[in-house]
Amino acid sequence: MNNTFETFKPKNSLIKSYVDYYYLDIKPDNVITEFQCFPHFNNTVSLYQSHIQKEKGYVIFDETAKPFQIFTPIREKVLHIIQSGKVHRIVIVFQPLGIQQFYRHLNFADYITDFEFFSQQELNALFSTEDPEVFTNLLDGCLEKRFKSFENAILERSIDYIFSQCDDFTVAELSSKLGISRQHLNRNFQAHLGVSVKKFHEIVLFRKTVNRKLFENPDRNFTELAHEFNYNDQSHFNKAYKNFTENSPKSFFDKGTILGNQDTFWCLQP
């Protein structure tokens, strides 16, 4: 079996509204893999077939272990991952407010490793196939049967506003438009997204610049990119990248690798 990293879009029309994509990460002969992944406005559930967690971000293959399920919330900092031993991993990449449609009472302040997102029977079925159509249909079905609509008008309006006004945004203006206090707005974001309104906006803005450079206009220079997205100046742009990637913009793009055909962009360690 060869190494596999493939991304798949949901087929179910309901699931498409809340899940950005799935991916399959298989490394049958892996010894050690290390990589960095960067802040994103999406969050994920990762399913490892037979692994234990040594420490945050460090998973070890153990043939006798049960599947390891982990929720990764929206993060402000680089996530360093180490995979020891062979890997068979399935990941669901949720859109903002996506996971809330399927699971309730989650704590978005940190990683969750003690919650059964999928039953043992479902996991057995998921790990038994690498066929894209079967794999996608199984995940769609597992999520659909858990669907229970979650609505929060404050968050829904806020997220739409941030994405539409991403490069010309203030928390004060948003709270004024909603007719609520900044404190109340921030409490909603912290409770359901795990970050403040300001930090969520900064992550969205950062990701928009990444997608513009990677997928829409690779020839765009960093000065133009900073100006296009209304950063105060080049120094402000560089500082944002340093905070989110631990690198300058040039170093970040030079070191990173696109995996699959969505927006997974990691720095793979040699």
Side-chain angles (χ1 to χ4, degrees):
M1 186 187 303
N2 296 324
N3 286 3
T4 298
F5 192 103
E6 292 189 59
T7 54
F8 310 94
K9 284 285 193 180
K11 295 181 179 179
N12 182 296
S13 58
L14 172 68
I15 306 305
K16 283 180 181 179
S17 300
Y18 305 109
V19 172
D20 197 356
Y21 60 97
Y22 307 125
Y23 66 79
L24 190 59
D25 176 20
I26 299 177
K27 295 184 277 285
D29 300 315
N30 181 61
V31 178
I32 288 283
T33 295
E34 296 186 49
F35 57 91
Q36 296 174 319
C37 46
F38 306 98
H40 205 300
F41 49 78
N42 292 333
N43 49 42
T44 64
V45 167
S46 300
L47 312 170
Y48 281 90
Q49 185 175 28
S50 300
H51 287 74
I52 57 174
Q53 180 175 242
K54 183 175 181 180
E55 57 189 63
K56 186 181 292 185
Y58 187 176
V59 293
I60 300 173
F61 173 74
D62 181 341
E63 195 166 355
T64 65
K66 295 179 179 179
F68 177 59
Q69 309 184 53
I70 179 169
F71 168 72
T72 303
I74 295 174
R75 310 175 317 280
E76 301 181 23
K77 298 296 181 182
V78 174
L79 177 59
H80 300 263
I81 300 291
I82 302 174
Q83 298 170 331
S84 176
K86 74 177 184 179
V87 175
H88 189 156
R89 180 172 63 137
I90 295 164
V91 178
I92 305 166
V93 181
F94 292 96
Q95 297 176 9
L97 300 184
I99 194 169
Q100 291 88 341
Q101 312 298 327
F102 310 101
Y103 303 100
R104 299 295 167 89
H105 311 300
L106 298 178
N107 180 357
F108 293 89
D110 204 352
Y111 302 84
I112 300 173
T113 60
D114 58 355
F115 188 92
E116 186 181 89
F117 293 97
F118 295 90
S119 70
Q120 185 63 56
Q121 183 178 5
E122 290 170 325
L123 292 167
N124 289 342
L126 286 166
F127 285 119
S128 70
T129 183
E130 294 176 39
D131 181 282
E133 186 166 350
V134 174
F135 169 82
T136 303
N137 287 337
L138 280 170
L139 277 172
D140 283 359
C142 288
L143 290 173
E144 184 178 25
K145 71 182 184 182
R146 289 171 168 81
F147 178 75
K148 186 177 179 181
S149 181
F150 169 86
E151 297 180 357
N152 183 309
I154 290 173
L155 288 172
E156 290 163 9
R157 290 178 62 190
S158 297
I159 290 169
D160 286 345
Y161 182 82
I162 288 170
F163 274 90
S164 65
Q165 305 288 332
C166 188
D167 53 346
D168 185 19
F169 167 83
T170 67
V171 179
E173 184 176 346
L174 175 57
S175 60
S176 176
K177 282 183 175 293
L178 296 172
I180 61 175
S181 70
R182 294 178 61 166
Q183 292 79 5
H184 183 48
L185 182 58
N186 267 309
R187 280 196 295 270
N188 270 270
F189 269 74
Q190 291 286 0
H192 297 289
L193 294 170
V195 292
S196 68
V197 184
K198 183 175 185 294
K199 188 59 63 175
F200 183 81
H201 162 256
E202 289 174 357
I203 293 169
V204 171
L205 187 59
F206 160 68
R207 276 288 166 178
K208 282 199 167 190
T209 66
V210 172
N211 287 344
R212 177 78 89 236
K213 177 71 173 172
L214 284 179
F215 305 112
E216 298 175 22
N217 192 345
D219 296 328
R220 201 97 166 125
N221 67 46
F222 297 123
T223 301
E224 292 170 333
L225 205 58
H227 178 73
E228 179 182 356
F229 286 95
N230 210 29
Y231 284 91
N232 293 336
D233 51 34
Q234 186 69 47
S235 176
H236 183 207
F237 182 76
N238 291 346
K239 183 178 179 181
Y241 267 74
K242 188 69 174 177
N243 288 339
F244 286 135
T245 74
E246 301 176 358
N247 284 280
S248 68
K250 183 179 187 309
S251 180
F252 168 72
F253 286 106
D254 286 347
K255 291 179 180 178
T257 300
I258 298 173
L259 294 102
N261 54 14
Q262 300 302 317
D263 69 347
T264 301
F265 187 69
W266 295 342
C267 179
L268 306 177
Q269 305 297 302

